[in-house]
Amino acid sequence: MRQTACILGKETEVRPGSHPRPLRGYKRGVQKTVLSKIGRFIEDRELIRPGDKVMAGISGGPDSVCLLFALQSLRERFGFELVAIHVNHGLRGAEAEEDQRFVEKLCREWEIPLSCVRCQVRERAEREKLTLEEAGRICRYEAFRTEAGKWGCNRIAVGHHGDDQAETMLFHLFRGTGLRGLAGMEPERDGLIRPLLCVERREILSWLSEEGLSWRLDSSNEEDLYTRNRIRHGILALAREQINERAVGHMMETAKELSELERYLKEETGKALTQCVQRKEQGVLILEASFQKLDPLLAGRVIRGCLAETGGLKDVERKHVELVRELFGRQTGRYLNLPGGRKAVRVYEGVYLEAGKPEPEAGRQEVCFSLKIPGTCRAGGSIWVFSLEKRQKDQLIPQKTYTKWFDYDKIENYPEIRRRRPGDYLEINQAHERKKLKAYLIDQKVPARERGELLMLADGSHIIWVPGMRISEGYKVTEDTRQILKVQIYGGEEDGREGPSNDSGGRGRCEDSGAGKEDQ
């Protein structure tokens, strides 16, 4: 991926809180209805707050033009800065070049700063054995995260709308999913926002036509080579025509309810895990007395949670959850083998889930990723974004799980992302007392099988950060800090969706299963 020299909108300085000339038709009927929906959705879900800096992905298609138009119109109301990004995939030749020129002209007229990035999607797909759709999605989100870091944007807006939500729900349902997958895409996740999830595609097209705005059409969106296009042009079209004209709207409402239900069940599952699961050195013990009192729905989620703890959910299917549940009715000593080299054993107290045996340290392949600061690194299925900033007076450091701030001047070597090595340690208090990394991970009850697979940020043998757990005391920002290293982790797959992850397995993908062609 390389960035072209295309930074537009500089002729008119855009300052925080400034607003270019009013856009046409602000008070007109269709625009007022659609814009009020989007504005209310942003407000209700707190997608944008005063002082935010938003980078909007724009391909030139109707969805992304609608996104940019809506954000431009709402900028003064919510008090945020707006920047645009266009990613040229290099797949459609002259058509793609026309798309870029269209976006450049649009952003120049609306006085919105624009960054254009050119990617070699076909080469990446061949190199990493991906489909063009997968490779394009990975390249897009890498470009979004990288450019957002360079521009200082804390929000990335993409143009997924209600029809995309319906497609995602059906796609997950047909492929096989649970409640989380049926809930579709979330309006906000780790700084990625979807302000158009509250409107349907036909509302978008009607609004743009009413405003006299033009857009570009991606010819590949009309081909039925991709599964999502077949769902869009076939199943959803038939549902609207022959079952219910409001089919997509009803699915949008259902997705919202399912998302709320999933959040509630997640909380209840956490309580159940605390009540009936004991962590052991090599696995977890599900206590029969407490487990049998659970509602069947929660019981299945507890088993799934335990399987996730003892080796992840790769290749785990519903049948495996049911087999573990049935083991409670078997005699002591009975066992079954599970994906990932795991074993479930019926014991006197309940069922013991034993983690797969870790590979010997000597035989484990060394993994280490070189970094560029500032810059982006793809490591273990996640995207790590590094940026530098000067410490401001009275600056408060937020407490976030997958975004951390470090005193850059205290880092002695050039930091690296890697797995653990003999001699690694952390500083555990302000007195600079050290603790061996292995001892720390044991104290945190990290299964032995997982310890050797964790990826962490290191300064020589001094571990700067174990993602999802803690940072070393020695690198914390203080009043004396002059330069801050900000590190953000995005990616991994969590129910097929983009999210933060410290997944450190082999090659992963930073993608969002709901990301179609109109998300840039």
Side-chain angles (χ1 to χ4, degrees), residues 8-255:
L8 303 177
K10 297 294 187 182
E11 301 88 349
T12 302
E13 181 182 2
V14 180
R15 300 179 302 279
S18 68
H19 186 61
R21 64 184 183 280
L23 299 176
R24 295 174 292 108
Y26 188 80
K27 298 297 184 182
R28 298 228 292 269
V30 175
Q31 200 260 13
K32 187 176 181 181
T33 301
V34 173
L35 192 64
S36 63
K37 272 189 180 182
I38 297 171
R40 187 166 58 250
F41 188 68
I42 290 173
E43 189 171 30
D44 291 345
R45 299 303 182 96
E46 297 185 332
L47 302 184
I48 301 175
R49 299 180 177 88
D52 282 346
K53 191 167 185 179
V54 180
M55 175 167 278
I58 176 167
S59 65
D63 308 336
S64 63
V65 170
C66 172
L67 173 69
L68 196 65
F69 186 42
L71 292 177
Q72 176 79 317
S73 302
L74 295 168
R75 184 162 64 173
E76 188 175 60
R77 169 181 168 183
F78 288 100
F80 64 91
E81 291 185 70
L82 181 61
V83 177
I85 179 173
H86 175 78
V87 180
N88 188 328
H89 297 78
L91 292 174
R92 293 180 292 114
E95 186 180 344
E97 299 303 319
E98 284 295 322
D99 289 348
Q100 182 168 326
R101 282 191 286 272
F102 171 83
V103 171
E104 291 171 0
K105 183 175 183 293
L106 187 67
C107 289
R108 188 182 297 112
E109 290 177 352
W110 290 357
E111 299 175 353
I112 298 173
L114 169 69
S115 178
C116 290
V117 176
R118 191 176 296 269
C119 301
Q120 301 302 323
V121 172
R122 192 177 303 279
E123 289 82 346
R124 182 161 192 170
E126 293 173 355
R127 183 174 67 251
E128 300 185 15
K129 303 296 188 295
L130 303 170
T131 66
L132 286 176
E133 193 176 21
E134 290 171 329
R137 192 155 49 228
I138 292 170
C139 288
R140 270 199 304 279
Y141 280 104
E142 284 183 350
F144 290 169
R145 299 297 185 189
T146 299
E147 294 302 299
K150 291 179 181 178
W151 286 78
C153 297
N154 63 331
R155 290 285 187 272
I156 298 172
V158 293
H160 297 134
H161 47 72
D163 292 57
D164 293 322
Q165 183 75 296
E167 291 166 21
T168 299
M169 295 171 71
L170 292 176
F171 181 77
H172 288 169
L173 178 64
F174 298 153
R175 188 179 61 176
T177 188
L179 186 60
R180 175 59 265 162
L182 282 179
M185 297 176 283
E186 295 180 9
E188 188 277 333
R189 187 168 187 140
D190 304 300
L192 185 78
I193 61 173
R194 299 181 172 93
L196 304 187
L197 282 186
C198 60
V199 293
E200 297 182 38
R201 169 87 166 191
R202 56 187 177 182
E203 292 179 278
I204 290 172
L205 296 177
S206 177
W207 180 24
L208 296 182
S209 297
E210 179 78 14
E211 289 298 319
L213 295 174
S214 58
W215 60 84
R216 296 278 299 172
L217 286 177
D218 183 340
S219 59
S220 64
N221 278 346
E222 305 307 312
E223 300 171 356
D224 285 340
L225 299 176
Y226 301 112
T227 303
R228 287 184 173 278
N229 287 359
R230 292 194 291 271
I231 293 175
R232 179 185 311 155
H233 301 146
I235 298 171
L236 279 181
L238 284 172
R240 272 193 173 119
E241 293 169 7
Q242 301 185 19
I243 300 176
N244 191 320
E245 186 183 7
R246 284 275 296 133
V248 169
H250 293 321
M251 293 181 72
M252 290 163 59
E253 294 165 0
T254 300

Side-chain angles (χ1 to χ4, degrees), residues 255-322:
K256 181 176 181 293
E257 292 182 8
L258 289 174
S259 182
E260 293 170 352
L261 178 58
E262 171 63 22
R263 280 196 293 272
Y264 169 75
L265 288 175
K266 189 174 182 179
E267 292 178 4
E268 293 301 308
T269 302
K271 296 176 185 177
L273 283 165
T274 302
Q275 294 172 357
C276 62
V277 174
Q278 291 182 357
R279 273 76 179 182
K280 303 293 183 180
E281 174 66 20
Q282 297 294 336
V284 298
L285 173 62
I286 306 175
L287 300 171
E288 181 178 18
S290 303
F291 179 81
Q292 298 292 19
K293 296 177 183 178
L294 296 176
D295 181 270
L297 175 61
L298 277 182
R301 292 175 67 96
V302 164
I303 292 173
R304 189 172 176 83
C306 290
L307 289 170
E309 283 190 36
T310 54
L313 296 174
K314 187 176 186 301
D315 299 325
V316 171
E317 301 174 8
R318 283 192 180 90
K319 65 180 180 182
H320 298 118
V321 174
E322 291 305 313

Side-chain angles (χ1 to χ4, degrees), residues 368-373 377 384 386 388 406 408 410-418 456-460 462 464-465 475 485 487:
C368 184
F369 299 87
S370 59
L371 311 179
K372 288 183 180 180
I373 299 176
C377 175
W384 298 55
F386 297 83
L388 292 174
F406 306 99
Y408 187 61
K410 291 180 180 177
I411 298 176
E412 297 180 3
N413 306 285
Y414 201 83
E416 58 186 4
I417 301 170
R418 61 170 175 81
M456 54 202 72
L457 188 64
D459 176 16
H462 192 165
I464 301 173
W465 181 23
Y475 299 99
L485 172 64
V487 185

Side-chain angles (χ1 to χ4, degrees), residues 427-434 473:
E427 288 188 2
I428 58 174
N429 54 39
Q430 294 181 354
H432 302 292
E433 292 182 13
R434 296 182 177 185
E473 194 76 26

